[in-house]
Amino acid sequence: EFIYLLEWLRCEGSSRMMRWCWRRWIVVASTSSPCPALVSLQRFASRPLSEVPVFSRQLPHLLLHIKSRSTRLALTSSSDTDEAAYIPPPSSEVEGMLAALPSRGDTSLRAGHIYFVSTPIGNLEDITLRAIRTLQQADVIASEDTRHTAKLLNYLSVGKKIHVSHHEHNARGMVPQLLEFASQGLSIAVVSDAGTPGISDPGMQLAAACVARGVPVVPVPGACSAIAALSVCGFQLSDFRFIGFLPRGGKARRLKVAEVVAEPSAIVLFEAPHRLLSTLRALAEGGAAERICLCARELTKVHEELVYGSISRLVGRFEAEAEKASRLRGEFTLVVGPVSTMELQAREAERKEENEEAAEQLLLARLAAGEAVSRAAREVASQLGMPRGAIYKLALRLKQDGAVPLKDSSNSLA
């Protein structure tokens, strides 16, 4: 009966070890304290055929557990023993046996798929039922920090799994290994320490490799600090832009801060406690001092705090706290409010004035060099991305005001 089941596992293609078992005897080396997986296998081997469907679904995980822990298994060919060579049962008997056994279709996870599972960002009760089921049924779990994720798995009563570490420092070697697991028909759940993998967390490189190799991926959505903060920011939002963590320093940081300040839509940033004040100061100095901002600390956790105010006010607020407590604590999600209508109008007027000044200087230089009005207007309009008609009118006004000698009699745009 045990050999029959291994034949079924071979047909399912569950793993390479199971395919080996198809034409070999398995001899379990006796140990003083055998692991639970081996005990379960030994009990299973002695069960009657009528009980096989009830128990057999656990066998793939047990065999994978044994393989991953390098348990002492002696895979001995029949030619190395005194027993008669194993002869596969007739195909009719195998087909009848397979018909009575549950297939992998009984589980909701699909073989060879990689599931990107969102985990709680603080409160363990925020995990979804689908995420729990995925973690319980997956063959392999790849996590950013195995010790951190082990606490969540214990809380959810998730049994023994192949649990591997997957983070930015080992992605080069781990991504091919996870793809190999998927090619062997295993279902894989990818998690980060908190939130969604690939969103300011490890996982993006794996997702890109899956797309390139044609490995199916499945998102399992859940808690998200960015969306949680946006839901209580109180801003009128038609759109928003997610930035995540700013670069830590240098030119890249300065450019990104300038980009954030110039963005008229709401912006979501993540920041660590030791860099919060430097980020707020950089935004204030860059021209966003009066923009309203929500500073959400430790979302969904015991010490959750939401602080609203202008960026300049938040600088003072957290400077005082850092001075009193010696340092800031907690993880922060910032929602910088959208630019107000009045400020947008002021920006547009300022931009228009700057463009007109630039166009005037370019036209004066071209007209002074004797270039025709129509040609000068066409070239300047193309250079600045402004309407040609408006530039042509400006060129005529400059001529009429005597800014340049009136040498061109052409009044056409052609």
Side-chain angles (χ1 to χ4, degrees), residues 26 87 97 109-110 123 150 163 179 194 206 210 221 223 253-254 281 308 356 364 374 379 385:
I26 290 185
I87 302 176
M97 177 67 182
L109 297 193
R110 287 173 257 178
N123 192 323
H163 195 177
L179 295 179
L206 174 60
C210 290
R253 181 177 175 86
R254 293 193 299 272
R281 292 189 188 114
Y308 300 83
E356 287 182 354
L364 286 174
S374 59
E379 295 297 330

Side-chain angles (χ1 to χ4, degrees), residues 65-133:
H65 174 68
I66 292 172
K67 183 180 179 182
S68 65
R69 298 296 182 183
S70 300
T71 305
R72 289 192 300 142
L73 282 180
L75 292 181
T76 307
S77 173
S78 59
S79 60
D80 299 329
T81 68
D82 297 332
E83 301 289 339
Y86 167 65
I87 302 176
S91 59
S92 59
E93 294 184 23
V94 173
E95 290 175 0
M97 177 67 182
L98 296 180
L101 291 174
S103 67
R104 289 184 66 95
D106 290 347
T107 176
S108 58
L109 297 193
R110 287 173 257 178
H113 285 56
I114 297 182
Y115 294 77
F116 287 73
V117 183
S118 297
T119 55
I121 57 178
N123 192 323
L124 295 181
E125 294 180 353
D126 289 337
I127 194 166
T128 66
L129 296 175
R130 184 184 177 200
I132 295 174
R133 177 170 49 77

Side-chain angles (χ1 to χ4, degrees), residues 272-294:
H274 60 279
R275 289 196 299 269
L276 176 68
L277 277 173
S278 64
T279 294
L280 292 175
R281 292 189 188 114
L283 293 174
E285 294 168 0
E290 299 307 314
R291 287 180 71 168
I292 304 300
C293 178
L294 163 62

